[in-house]
Amino acid sequence: NMMFNLWQSEKCEDRVDTVKSLSLIDMFVPYFPLDRQAIRQVLQRSIQRRVKALNKGRGKQHRITVSEEVLEFLCDKIEWDGAYAVEGAKEVATVIRRHVFGLLYKLSVSGDHGTNGGNGEGGGVAHLELAMDEAGKKVELREMGLADAPSEEE
């Protein structure tokens, strides 16, 4: 009724068209506006879900952590209206696809472990980190721990 009254008072269209339009709507579902912290959590979980899909059925498993700088960089790519994301979490998939998915795809195809040339052979877990490049303009995949120093044979 609220929508009908609003449309009727503002004379947006003929009454018949308004009634037709409203008959197509089953229910209005309000959403909770997402702030920066909520979007960061959605980004983190979405990336981890993609990593889990990457690991499924593979001999070499990857554990990927996401740096705070990357989460902040990705959050900056979301459109904001004050403290809230304009489209909620709808933009998260696009932002991840644009800035992260290519790195994960290369990792799955080549078996490479980031920028230092690991060969992806053998079992176990490779610990990698999504971090910003030195210029702070691009996300990159880095090896963590002992995997940072590949042997000369690789």
Side-chain angles (χ1 to χ4, degrees):
N1 284 339
M2 180 184 79
M3 287 300 291
F4 179 74
N5 291 335
L6 181 64
W7 283 359
Q8 190 176 29
S9 71
E10 293 187 10
K11 307 277 191 241
C12 293
E13 55 191 23
D14 291 334
R15 180 182 169 93
V16 173
D17 292 332
T18 301
V19 171
K20 283 181 187 177
S21 296
L22 287 175
S23 70
L24 298 174
I25 300 171
D26 292 331
M27 101 178 47
F28 290 96
V29 180
Y31 73 95
F32 182 74
L34 300 177
D35 62 7
R36 203 166 187 88
Q37 183 59 34
I39 292 294
R40 287 169 65 96
Q41 290 174 354
V42 172
L43 283 163
Q44 179 76 266
R45 288 180 181 155
S46 296
I47 291 169
Q48 293 309 323
R49 189 173 30 243
R50 288 182 188 257
V51 170
K52 187 176 179 182
L54 172 72
N55 284 338
K56 193 172 186 174
R58 300 184 62 88
K60 187 68 171 181
Q61 299 293 300
H62 301 93
R63 189 180 99 201
I64 297 179
T65 57
V66 184
S67 73
E68 291 297 316
E69 293 82 16
V70 168
L71 288 174
E72 202 55 38
F73 173 80
L74 296 174
C75 274
D76 288 343
K77 301 301 178 188
I78 302 287
E79 185 179 355
W80 298 91
D81 182 13
Y84 300 106
V86 170
E87 294 189 24
K90 287 169 66 175
E91 290 181 274
V92 167
T94 303
V95 168
I96 289 173
R97 202 173 310 116
R98 231 177 245 149
H99 299 282
V100 176
F101 188 68
L103 297 168
L104 298 179
Y105 178 76
K106 287 177 189 174
L107 181 67
S108 70
V109 170
S110 70
D112 187 18
H113 293 225
T115 59
N116 294 331
N119 64 8
E121 294 177 3
V125 177
H127 183 195
L128 307 165
E129 180 185 40
L130 286 170
M132 296 305 297
D133 67 356
E134 288 185 21
K137 296 184 178 187
K138 188 172 108 176
V139 178
E140 64 183 16
L141 198 54
R142 294 184 188 156
E143 296 180 32
M144 300 300 292
L146 298 176
D148 267 340
S151 68
E152 294 180 13
E153 299 171 0
E154 294 177 341

